[in-house]
Amino acid sequence: ILGTIVVSATKRNLRFLVDPTKKYWRFIGRFTTWWTHALPVEYEDHEAFYARIREFIRRGDSIGIFPEGEVSSSTGLLRPKTGIIRIARDSGTPIIPVGLKNTEWPLLTAIIRRFRAPEGIALRFGEPVLVPADTLEASFQLIANDLMREISRLSGIPYPY
């Protein structure tokens, strides 16, 4: 639902990824995919996954990705995965860090107001982060950690790593 809040609060054609192989897919996945125009992508085959993401970016879609690889209900940010860094490097597309504040509010309001984020929830956008084409994979985790520190600053949510 956090992805839905971001999509409804921005004027960009922003789409989040959804894995149709997950258990929740049968329950809310199809509805959420239709409602938010999410992009179904299976994560198991990494090369096919990255090829599909590059295809979406080439056709002009903005892709919303939680760098942690999932949405957590914990009180802090999780350690990021490095796929977002690889995608940015390989596509030449910048990463726009986004911090969400006050998302502990009841999210039913976001569903009722499909086209507006509920009052009190704030989105803060950081400066674009470019990952040069010659960036080595060995440095992906360092860049991802820097990205999470920026998201922590924007959101006010602790990043303990």
Side-chain angles (χ1 to χ4, degrees), residues 99-137:
L100 294 112
K101 291 187 69 101
N102 303 323
T103 57
E104 63 277 358
W105 280 47
L107 296 178
L108 181 58
T109 309
I111 294 170
I112 293 169
R113 299 178 181 172
R114 178 178 172 196
F115 299 106
R116 282 189 15 206
E119 290 82 15
I121 291 179
L123 293 158
R124 292 187 172 164
F125 295 88
E127 293 296 318
V129 175
L130 292 172
V131 181
D134 61 351
T135 301
L136 301 175
E137 287 193 32

mmCIF file of all heavy atoms in Angstrom, residues 99-137:
data_model
loop_
_atom_site.group_PDB
_atom_site.id
_atom_site.type_symbol
_atom_site.label_atom_id
_atom_site.label_comp_id
_atom_site.label_asym_id
_atom_site.label_seq_id
_atom_site.Cartn_x
_atom_site.Cartn_y
_atom_site.Cartn_z
ATOM 1 N N GLY A 99 11.720 9.754 0.671
ATOM 2 C CA GLY A 99 11.443 9.436 2.068
ATOM 3 C C GLY A 99 9.962 9.597 2.336
ATOM 4 O O GLY A 99 9.373 10.606 1.966
ATOM 5 N N LEU A 100 9.353 8.586 2.930
ATOM 6 C CA LEU A 100 7.943 8.644 3.308
ATOM 7 C C LEU A 100 7.873 8.913 4.802
ATOM 8 O O LEU A 100 8.514 8.217 5.582
ATOM 9 C CB LEU A 100 7.250 7.316 2.988
ATOM 10 C CG LEU A 100 7.150 6.994 1.517
ATOM 11 C CD1 LEU A 100 8.015 5.809 1.181
ATOM 12 C CD2 LEU A 100 5.720 6.705 1.176
ATOM 13 N N LYS A 101 7.081 9.905 5.186
ATOM 14 C CA LYS A 101 6.909 10.231 6.599
ATOM 15 C C LYS A 101 5.463 10.017 7.002
ATOM 16 O O LYS A 101 4.555 10.206 6.207
ATOM 17 C CB LYS A 101 7.281 11.695 6.864
ATOM 18 C CG LYS A 101 8.769 11.971 6.718
ATOM 19 C CD LYS A 101 9.129 13.353 7.151
ATOM 20 C CE LYS A 101 8.988 13.538 8.609
ATOM 21 N NZ LYS A 101 10.183 13.492 9.411
ATOM 22 N N ASN A 102 5.275 9.625 8.240
ATOM 23 C CA ASN A 102 3.947 9.461 8.845
ATOM 24 C C ASN A 102 3.134 8.361 8.174
ATOM 25 O O ASN A 102 1.921 8.462 8.079
ATOM 26 C CB ASN A 102 3.159 10.778 8.825
ATOM 27 C CG ASN A 102 3.897 11.884 9.536
ATOM 28 O OD1 ASN A 102 4.551 11.648 10.551
ATOM 29 N ND2 ASN A 102 3.814 13.088 9.011
ATOM 30 N N THR A 103 3.786 7.309 7.748
ATOM 31 C CA THR A 103 3.055 6.222 7.094
ATOM 32 C C THR A 103 2.424 5.278 8.100
ATOM 33 O O THR A 103 1.782 4.311 7.704
ATOM 34 C CB THR A 103 3.980 5.421 6.162
ATOM 35 O OG1 THR A 103 5.082 4.935 6.920
ATOM 36 C CG2 THR A 103 4.446 6.267 5.006
ATOM 37 N N GLU A 104 2.585 5.552 9.386
ATOM 38 C CA GLU A 104 1.939 4.707 10.379
ATOM 39 C C GLU A 104 0.460 5.051 10.533
ATOM 40 O O GLU A 104 -0.263 4.396 11.249
ATOM 41 C CB GLU A 104 2.650 4.801 11.737
ATOM 42 C CG GLU A 104 2.621 6.162 12.385
ATOM 43 C CD GLU A 104 3.704 7.116 11.868
ATOM 44 O OE1 GLU A 104 4.523 6.738 11.036
ATOM 45 O OE2 GLU A 104 3.696 8.272 12.301
ATOM 46 N N TRP A 105 -0.014 6.086 9.840
ATOM 47 C CA TRP A 105 -1.429 6.429 9.846
ATOM 48 C C TRP A 105 -2.234 5.280 9.275
ATOM 49 O O TRP A 105 -1.730 4.519 8.457
ATOM 50 C CB TRP A 105 -1.671 7.660 8.978
ATOM 51 C CG TRP A 105 -1.352 8.959 9.634
ATOM 52 C CD1 TRP A 105 -0.232 9.275 10.332
ATOM 53 C CD2 TRP A 105 -2.161 10.114 9.632
ATOM 54 N NE1 TRP A 105 -0.300 10.554 10.751
ATOM 55 C CE2 TRP A 105 -1.476 11.102 10.329
ATOM 56 C CE3 TRP A 105 -3.408 10.418 9.089
ATOM 57 C CZ2 TRP A 105 -1.991 12.366 10.529
ATOM 58 C CZ3 TRP A 105 -3.917 11.681 9.279
ATOM 59 C CH2 TRP A 105 -3.220 12.632 9.993
ATOM 60 N N PRO A 106 -3.513 5.188 9.620
ATOM 61 C CA PRO A 106 -4.332 4.135 9.011
ATOM 62 C C PRO A 106 -4.353 4.308 7.499
ATOM 63 O O PRO A 106 -4.663 5.368 6.983
ATOM 64 C CB PRO A 106 -5.721 4.371 9.606
ATOM 65 C CG PRO A 106 -5.477 5.168 10.845
ATOM 66 C CD PRO A 106 -4.230 5.969 10.604
ATOM 67 N N LEU A 107 -4.006 3.260 6.789
ATOM 68 C CA LEU A 107 -3.859 3.360 5.344
ATOM 69 C C LEU A 107 -5.176 3.191 4.592
ATOM 70 O O LEU A 107 -5.221 3.345 3.384
ATOM 71 C CB LEU A 107 -2.824 2.354 4.855
ATOM 72 C CG LEU A 107 -1.421 2.635 5.384
ATOM 73 C CD1 LEU A 107 -0.463 1.575 4.889
ATOM 74 C CD2 LEU A 107 -0.950 4.013 4.979
ATOM 75 N N LEU A 108 -6.272 2.912 5.310
ATOM 76 C CA LEU A 108 -7.560 2.821 4.650
ATOM 77 C C LEU A 108 -7.890 4.138 3.948
ATOM 78 O O LEU A 108 -8.495 4.150 2.881
ATOM 79 C CB LEU A 108 -8.657 2.461 5.662
ATOM 80 C CG LEU A 108 -10.056 2.313 5.094
ATOM 81 C CD1 LEU A 108 -10.068 1.242 4.006
ATOM 82 C CD2 LEU A 108 -11.033 1.968 6.192
ATOM 83 N N THR A 109 -7.429 5.248 4.517
ATOM 84 C CA THR A 109 -7.667 6.556 3.903
ATOM 85 C C THR A 109 -7.064 6.609 2.501
ATOM 86 O O THR A 109 -7.646 7.183 1.591
ATOM 87 C CB THR A 109 -7.042 7.672 4.770
ATOM 88 O OG1 THR A 109 -7.488 7.486 6.105
ATOM 89 C CG2 THR A 109 -7.433 9.042 4.291
ATOM 90 N N ALA A 110 -5.886 5.985 2.326
ATOM 91 C CA ALA A 110 -5.243 5.979 1.006
ATOM 92 C C ALA A 110 -6.088 5.214 -0.002
ATOM 93 O O ALA A 110 -6.153 5.582 -1.171
ATOM 94 C CB ALA A 110 -3.856 5.357 1.098
ATOM 95 N N ILE A 111 -6.743 4.165 0.450
ATOM 96 C CA ILE A 111 -7.576 3.383 -0.456
ATOM 97 C C ILE A 111 -8.837 4.166 -0.822
ATOM 98 O O ILE A 111 -9.231 4.226 -1.978
ATOM 99 C CB ILE A 111 -7.941 2.037 0.190
ATOM 100 C CG1 ILE A 111 -6.668 1.208 0.357
ATOM 101 C CG2 ILE A 111 -8.990 1.301 -0.628
ATOM 102 C CD1 ILE A 111 -6.849 -0.025 1.200
ATOM 103 N N ILE A 112 -9.438 4.808 0.167
ATOM 104 C CA ILE A 112 -10.657 5.573 -0.073
ATOM 105 C C ILE A 112 -10.373 6.748 -1.005
ATOM 106 O O ILE A 112 -11.148 7.065 -1.892
ATOM 107 C CB ILE A 112 -11.262 6.059 1.255
ATOM 108 C CG1 ILE A 112 -11.750 4.840 2.060
ATOM 109 C CG2 ILE A 112 -12.395 7.049 1.014
ATOM 110 C CD1 ILE A 112 -12.111 5.152 3.481
ATOM 111 N N ARG A 113 -9.238 7.398 -0.813
ATOM 112 C CA ARG A 113 -8.865 8.558 -1.636
ATOM 113 C C ARG A 113 -7.831 8.135 -2.654
ATOM 114 O O ARG A 113 -6.684 8.555 -2.595
ATOM 115 C CB ARG A 113 -8.299 9.661 -0.757
ATOM 116 C CG ARG A 113 -9.274 10.151 0.244
ATOM 117 C CD ARG A 113 -8.584 11.187 1.074
ATOM 118 N NE ARG A 113 -9.508 11.655 2.082
ATOM 119 C CZ ARG A 113 -9.170 12.443 3.056
ATOM 120 N NH1 ARG A 113 -7.934 12.855 3.157
ATOM 121 N NH2 ARG A 113 -10.056 12.826 3.930
ATOM 122 N N ARG A 114 -8.210 7.344 -3.588
ATOM 123 C CA ARG A 114 -7.294 6.729 -4.540
ATOM 124 C C ARG A 114 -6.334 7.718 -5.184
ATOM 125 O O ARG A 114 -5.192 7.390 -5.458
ATOM 126 C CB ARG A 114 -8.111 6.022 -5.618
ATOM 127 C CG ARG A 114 -7.258 5.398 -6.670
ATOM 128 C CD ARG A 114 -8.101 4.675 -7.660
ATOM 129 N NE ARG A 114 -7.268 4.255 -8.760
ATOM 130 C CZ ARG A 114 -7.728 3.874 -9.908
ATOM 131 N NH1 ARG A 114 -9.006 3.855 -10.132
ATOM 132 N NH2 ARG A 114 -6.910 3.513 -10.862
ATOM 133 N N PHE A 115 -6.750 8.909 -5.441
ATOM 134 C CA PHE A 115 -5.911 9.833 -6.197
ATOM 135 C C PHE A 115 -5.214 10.868 -5.331
ATOM 136 O O PHE A 115 -4.629 11.796 -5.851
ATOM 137 C CB PHE A 115 -6.750 10.516 -7.286
ATOM 138 C CG PHE A 115 -7.315 9.523 -8.253
ATOM 139 C CD1 PHE A 115 -8.652 9.196 -8.234
ATOM 140 C CD2 PHE A 115 -6.490 8.871 -9.152
ATOM 141 C CE1 PHE A 115 -9.170 8.264 -9.110
ATOM 142 C CE2 PHE A 115 -6.993 7.932 -10.036
ATOM 143 C CZ PHE A 115 -8.334 7.631 -10.008
ATOM 144 N N ARG A 116 -5.274 10.734 -4.024
ATOM 145 C CA ARG A 116 -4.584 11.670 -3.137
ATOM 146 C C ARG A 116 -3.993 10.926 -1.954
ATOM 147 O O ARG A 116 -4.622 10.032 -1.415
ATOM 148 C CB ARG A 116 -5.574 12.705 -2.579
ATOM 149 C CG ARG A 116 -5.934 13.781 -3.528
ATOM 150 C CD ARG A 116 -6.734 14.883 -2.867
ATOM 151 N NE ARG A 116 -6.692 14.853 -1.428
ATOM 152 C CZ ARG A 116 -7.639 15.341 -0.663
ATOM 153 N NH1 ARG A 116 -8.700 15.900 -1.179
ATOM 154 N NH2 ARG A 116 -7.551 15.297 0.653
ATOM 155 N N ALA A 117 -2.807 11.318 -1.549
ATOM 156 C CA ALA A 117 -2.241 10.747 -0.332
ATOM 157 C C ALA A 117 -2.994 11.331 0.859
ATOM 158 O O ALA A 117 -3.406 12.489 0.831
ATOM 159 C CB ALA A 117 -0.756 11.104 -0.230
ATOM 160 N N PRO A 118 -3.198 10.547 1.911
ATOM 161 C CA PRO A 118 -3.892 11.071 3.082
ATOM 162 C C PRO A 118 -3.127 12.233 3.710
ATOM 163 O O PRO A 118 -1.904 12.279 3.630
ATOM 164 C CB PRO A 118 -3.940 9.890 4.034
ATOM 165 C CG PRO A 118 -3.438 8.723 3.301
ATOM 166 C CD PRO A 118 -2.806 9.168 2.038
ATOM 167 N N GLU A 119 -3.862 13.139 4.342
ATOM 168 C CA GLU A 119 -3.216 14.249 5.024
ATOM 169 C C GLU A 119 -2.278 13.689 6.082
ATOM 170 O O GLU A 119 -2.564 12.688 6.708
ATOM 171 C CB GLU A 119 -4.257 15.171 5.685
ATOM 172 C CG GLU A 119 -5.080 15.967 4.702
ATOM 173 C CD GLU A 119 -6.248 15.170 4.136
ATOM 174 O OE1 GLU A 119 -6.598 14.111 4.692
ATOM 175 O OE2 GLU A 119 -6.782 15.608 3.111
ATOM 176 N N GLY A 120 -1.178 14.361 6.273
ATOM 177 C CA GLY A 120 -0.223 13.920 7.274
ATOM 178 C C GLY A 120 0.884 13.060 6.698
ATOM 179 O O GLY A 120 1.974 13.056 7.206
ATOM 180 N N ILE A 121 0.604 12.323 5.651
ATOM 181 C CA ILE A 121 1.656 11.535 5.022
ATOM 182 C C ILE A 121 2.438 12.470 4.109
ATOM 183 O O ILE A 121 1.859 13.227 3.345
ATOM 184 C CB ILE A 121 1.079 10.347 4.238
ATOM 185 C CG1 ILE A 121 0.492 9.333 5.220
ATOM 186 C CG2 ILE A 121 2.142 9.703 3.365
ATOM 187 C CD1 ILE A 121 -0.123 8.129 4.575
ATOM 188 N N ALA A 122 3.750 12.429 4.247
ATOM 189 C CA ALA A 122 4.591 13.333 3.463
ATOM 190 C C ALA A 122 5.595 12.538 2.644
ATOM 191 O O ALA A 122 6.122 11.530 3.104
ATOM 192 C CB ALA A 122 5.326 14.295 4.385
ATOM 193 N N LEU A 123 5.819 13.009 1.445
ATOM 194 C CA LEU A 123 6.849 12.460 0.575
ATOM 195 C C LEU A 123 7.920 13.522 0.426
ATOM 196 O O LEU A 123 7.623 14.662 0.099
ATOM 197 C CB LEU A 123 6.280 12.149 -0.812
ATOM 198 C CG LEU A 123 5.257 11.042 -0.866
ATOM 199 C CD1 LEU A 123 4.409 11.173 -2.107
ATOM 200 C CD2 LEU A 123 5.957 9.715 -0.848
ATOM 201 N N ARG A 124 9.150 13.143 0.662
ATOM 202 C CA ARG A 124 10.264 14.065 0.466
ATOM 203 C C ARG A 124 11.195 13.461 -0.571
ATOM 204 O O ARG A 124 11.624 12.319 -0.435
ATOM 205 C CB ARG A 124 11.006 14.294 1.770
ATOM 206 C CG ARG A 124 10.179 15.041 2.772
ATOM 207 C CD ARG A 124 11.001 15.382 3.967
ATOM 208 N NE ARG A 124 10.237 16.250 4.831
ATOM 209 C CZ ARG A 124 10.552 16.473 6.080
ATOM 210 N NH1 ARG A 124 11.620 15.908 6.607
ATOM 211 N NH2 ARG A 124 9.819 17.281 6.804
ATOM 212 N N PHE A 125 11.487 14.250 -1.590
ATOM 213 C CA PHE A 125 12.323 13.785 -2.690
ATOM 214 C C PHE A 125 13.726 14.343 -2.543
ATOM 215 O O PHE A 125 13.909 15.534 -2.302
ATOM 216 C CB PHE A 125 11.721 14.221 -4.028
ATOM 217 C CG PHE A 125 10.391 13.586 -4.308
ATOM 218 C CD1 PHE A 125 9.216 14.172 -3.865
ATOM 219 C CD2 PHE A 125 10.324 12.394 -5.006
ATOM 220 C CE1 PHE A 125 7.988 13.576 -4.110
ATOM 221 C CE2 PHE A 125 9.097 11.789 -5.251
ATOM 222 C CZ PHE A 125 7.934 12.385 -4.803
ATOM 223 N N GLY A 126 14.721 13.491 -2.718
ATOM 224 C CA GLY A 126 16.113 13.902 -2.664
ATOM 225 C C GLY A 126 16.640 14.231 -4.045
ATOM 226 O O GLY A 126 15.920 14.158 -5.048
ATOM 227 N N GLU A 127 17.890 14.586 -4.092
ATOM 228 C CA GLU A 127 18.552 14.883 -5.361
ATOM 229 C C GLU A 127 18.806 13.577 -6.129
ATOM 230 O O GLU A 127 19.071 12.540 -5.526
ATOM 231 C CB GLU A 127 19.885 15.584 -5.103
ATOM 232 C CG GLU A 127 19.730 16.969 -4.497
ATOM 233 C CD GLU A 127 19.013 17.933 -5.427
ATOM 234 O OE1 GLU A 127 19.307 17.922 -6.647
ATOM 235 O OE2 GLU A 127 18.157 18.686 -4.945
ATOM 236 N N PRO A 128 18.751 13.639 -7.454
ATOM 237 C CA PRO A 128 19.021 12.431 -8.247
ATOM 238 C C PRO A 128 20.426 11.888 -7.979
ATOM 239 O O PRO A 128 21.379 12.641 -7.796
ATOM 240 C CB PRO A 128 18.909 12.923 -9.690
ATOM 241 C CG PRO A 128 18.109 14.170 -9.615
ATOM 242 C CD PRO A 128 18.396 14.790 -8.277
ATOM 243 N N VAL A 129 20.529 10.580 -7.952
ATOM 244 C CA VAL A 129 21.802 9.889 -7.763
ATOM 245 C C VAL A 129 22.117 9.164 -9.065
ATOM 246 O O VAL A 129 21.360 8.310 -9.513
ATOM 247 C CB VAL A 129 21.713 8.866 -6.606
ATOM 248 C CG1 VAL A 129 23.000 8.071 -6.489
ATOM 249 C CG2 VAL A 129 21.356 9.557 -5.297
ATOM 250 N N LEU A 130 23.215 9.524 -9.688
ATOM 251 C CA LEU A 130 23.653 8.867 -10.924
ATOM 252 C C LEU A 130 24.701 7.815 -10.586
ATOM 253 O O LEU A 130 25.597 8.059 -9.784
ATOM 254 C CB LEU A 130 24.229 9.881 -11.898
ATOM 255 C CG LEU A 130 23.221 10.870 -12.476
ATOM 256 C CD1 LEU A 130 23.938 11.954 -13.269
ATOM 257 C CD2 LEU A 130 22.219 10.155 -13.363
ATOM 258 N N VAL A 131 24.583 6.657 -11.194
ATOM 259 C CA VAL A 131 25.559 5.587 -11.018
ATOM 260 C C VAL A 131 26.280 5.456 -12.355
ATOM 261 O O VAL A 131 25.695 4.995 -13.330
ATOM 262 C CB VAL A 131 24.880 4.261 -10.614
ATOM 263 C CG1 VAL A 131 25.929 3.171 -10.417
ATOM 264 C CG2 VAL A 131 24.043 4.437 -9.349
ATOM 265 N N PRO A 132 27.545 5.885 -12.429
ATOM 266 C CA PRO A 132 28.278 5.851 -13.696
ATOM 267 C C PRO A 132 28.362 4.441 -14.274
ATOM 268 O O PRO A 132 28.397 3.442 -13.549
ATOM 269 C CB PRO A 132 29.669 6.372 -13.322
ATOM 270 C CG PRO A 132 29.466 7.136 -12.054
ATOM 271 C CD PRO A 132 28.332 6.460 -11.345
ATOM 272 N N ALA A 133 28.425 4.354 -15.595
ATOM 273 C CA ALA A 133 28.458 3.070 -16.308
ATOM 274 C C ALA A 133 29.686 2.236 -15.946
ATOM 275 O O ALA A 133 29.652 1.016 -16.059
ATOM 276 C CB ALA A 133 28.420 3.311 -17.818
ATOM 277 N N ASP A 134 30.762 2.877 -15.485
ATOM 278 C CA ASP A 134 31.982 2.129 -15.146
ATOM 279 C C ASP A 134 32.053 1.732 -13.667
ATOM 280 O O ASP A 134 33.086 1.278 -13.190
ATOM 281 C CB ASP A 134 33.223 2.922 -15.542
ATOM 282 C CG ASP A 134 33.326 4.262 -14.820
ATOM 283 O OD1 ASP A 134 32.357 4.675 -14.138
ATOM 284 O OD2 ASP A 134 34.380 4.914 -14.945
ATOM 285 N N THR A 135 30.949 1.878 -12.934
ATOM 286 C CA THR A 135 30.919 1.509 -11.518
ATOM 287 C C THR A 135 31.039 -0.002 -11.376
ATOM 288 O O THR A 135 30.309 -0.762 -12.015
ATOM 289 C CB THR A 135 29.611 1.988 -10.854
ATOM 290 O OG1 THR A 135 29.515 3.399 -10.995
ATOM 291 C CG2 THR A 135 29.568 1.618 -9.385
ATOM 292 N N LEU A 136 31.966 -0.450 -10.526
ATOM 293 C CA LEU A 136 32.195 -1.879 -10.310
ATOM 294 C C LEU A 136 31.175 -2.433 -9.320
ATOM 295 O O LEU A 136 30.776 -1.753 -8.376
ATOM 296 C CB LEU A 136 33.604 -2.109 -9.779
ATOM 297 C CG LEU A 136 34.743 -1.623 -10.667
ATOM 298 C CD1 LEU A 136 36.081 -1.812 -9.961
ATOM 299 C CD2 LEU A 136 34.719 -2.360 -12.003
ATOM 300 N N GLU A 137 30.787 -3.688 -9.531
ATOM 301 C CA GLU A 137 29.818 -4.327 -8.643
ATOM 302 C C GLU A 137 30.304 -4.364 -7.203
ATOM 303 O O GLU A 137 29.498 -4.372 -6.273
ATOM 304 C CB GLU A 137 29.475 -5.727 -9.140
ATOM 305 C CG GLU A 137 28.596 -5.694 -10.366
ATOM 306 C CD GLU A 137 27.985 -7.041 -10.704
ATOM 307 O OE1 GLU A 137 27.716 -7.839 -9.775
ATOM 308 O OE2 GLU A 137 27.768 -7.286 -11.896
#
